Amino acid sequence: MYNEDDLLLISALQHLAFCPRQCALIHIEQIWIENRFTAEGRVMHDKAHDEDRVETRAGVRVERGISLRSLELGLIGKADVVEFHYVQDRRQWIPFPVEYKRGKPKEDDCDRVQLCAQALCLEEMLKIRILSGAIFYGKIRRRFDVTFDDDLRSKTKQSSVFLHKFIGAGRTPKPVYSAKCEVCSLIDVCIPRRLEQGGSVEEYLRKAMEP
């Protein structure tokens, strides 16, 4: 069980799964730079949060920008959208979290882990079991359902434990260049190609400032 002061952002799980160095630059070194992709994602999230906070239709209540917290996982954050579906046989409103992403589905589980973490926070807060949620990808305008099975739950909990150890260690990993670096807003700070070849950030900046 974690204390309030120990809570880390749910989004850090996605950053860690995408790239440990990116996660360290953002959450340890507190560096953030926006590019077109992050700006589009921010606009999408802002729109999801700024629309009417509560919407009701047949058997579904939609709430936006719900604050999330789990002392068990040591996580805090905000859900883009949570649909509450009324289940007749249980006579309960069951939460169905929906995360909005600007791009398209990824090959790894980083988005699914982030969504599952939101569900686990809701479960702890509301004392209820949540079976599934969804991720909406703006680039392809499609929504994909995600089942919170035992494997995904276990992976999410393990990722949370590792995240706390990773942030607690306070060390930024060395860069490893890959194709996904080209869409990262921190590429000019991370300089993965240059640092992979040797040299330091200080040396790179010194040479960049030379006339």
Side-chain angles (χ1 to χ4, degrees), residues 110-139:
C110 60
D111 291 345
R112 295 172 70 247
V113 164
Q114 182 180 1
L115 182 68
C116 186
Q118 295 179 16
L120 294 176
C121 288
L122 286 167
E123 286 186 346
E124 183 177 321
M125 293 164 60
L126 302 176
K127 311 300 181 188
I128 195 169
R129 181 79 169 179
I130 302 172
L131 301 179
S132 59
I135 303 173
F136 176 85
Y137 288 98
K139 187 172 184 178

Side-chain angles (χ1 to χ4, degrees), residues 151-168:
D151 287 342
L152 183 56
R153 287 169 179 271
S154 177
K155 187 170 187 176
T156 302
K157 291 176 182 179
Q158 291 173 10
S159 297
S160 299
V161 171
F162 183 75
L163 175 66
H164 277 271
K165 292 180 179 178
F166 179 82
I167 299 296

Side-chain angles (χ1 to χ4, degrees), residues 171-189:
R171 293 193 295 270
T172 301
K174 293 182 179 180
V176 178
Y177 179 81
S178 69
K180 63 186 179 183
C181 294
E182 298 301 329
V183 300
C184 179
S185 67
L186 301 182
I187 187 169
D188 291 334
V189 175

Side-chain angles (χ1 to χ4, degrees), residues 55-62 83-86 93:
E55 173 188 346
T56 303
R57 52 182 184 266
V60 179
R61 188 175 78 248
V62 180
E83 299 176 355
F84 289 84
H85 296 233
Y86 188 74
W93 291 91

Side-chain angles (χ1 to χ4, degrees), residues 28-138:
I28 295 176
E29 300 190 24
Q30 302 294 302
I31 296 172
W32 177 254
I33 298 173
E34 193 158 77
N35 64 6
R36 177 172 65 88
F37 303 114
T38 60
E40 289 174 356
R42 176 177 52 78
V43 169
M44 177 177 285
H45 283 86
D46 289 347
K47 183 178 179 181
H49 293 170
D50 289 344
E51 292 178 4
D52 292 340
R53 290 184 62 86
V54 179
E55 173 188 346
T56 303
R57 52 182 184 266
V60 179
R61 188 175 78 248
V62 180
E63 299 194 20
R64 307 173 191 277
I66 294 180
S67 295
L68 304 172
R69 186 192 71 168
S70 170
L71 294 180
E72 180 181 348
L73 298 180
L75 298 174
I76 193 169
K78 185 174 287 189
D80 287 339
V81 172
V82 178
E83 299 176 355
F84 289 84
H85 296 233
Y86 188 74
V87 179
Q88 194 70 38
D89 59 348
R90 294 173 61 175
R91 297 184 180 179
Q92 284 182 306
W93 291 91
I94 305 299
F96 185 91
V98 182
E99 174 70 9
Y100 282 69
K101 297 290 184 183
R102 62 153 297 279
K104 59 184 179 180
K106 302 176 179 64
E107 294 182 1
D108 58 35
D109 281 336
C110 60
D111 291 345
R112 295 172 70 247
V113 164
Q114 182 180 1
L115 182 68
C116 186
Q118 295 179 16
L120 294 176
C121 288
L122 286 167
E123 286 186 346
E124 183 177 321
M125 293 164 60
L126 302 176
K127 311 300 181 188
I128 195 169
R129 181 79 169 179
I130 302 172
L131 301 179
S132 59
I135 303 173
F136 176 85
Y137 288 98

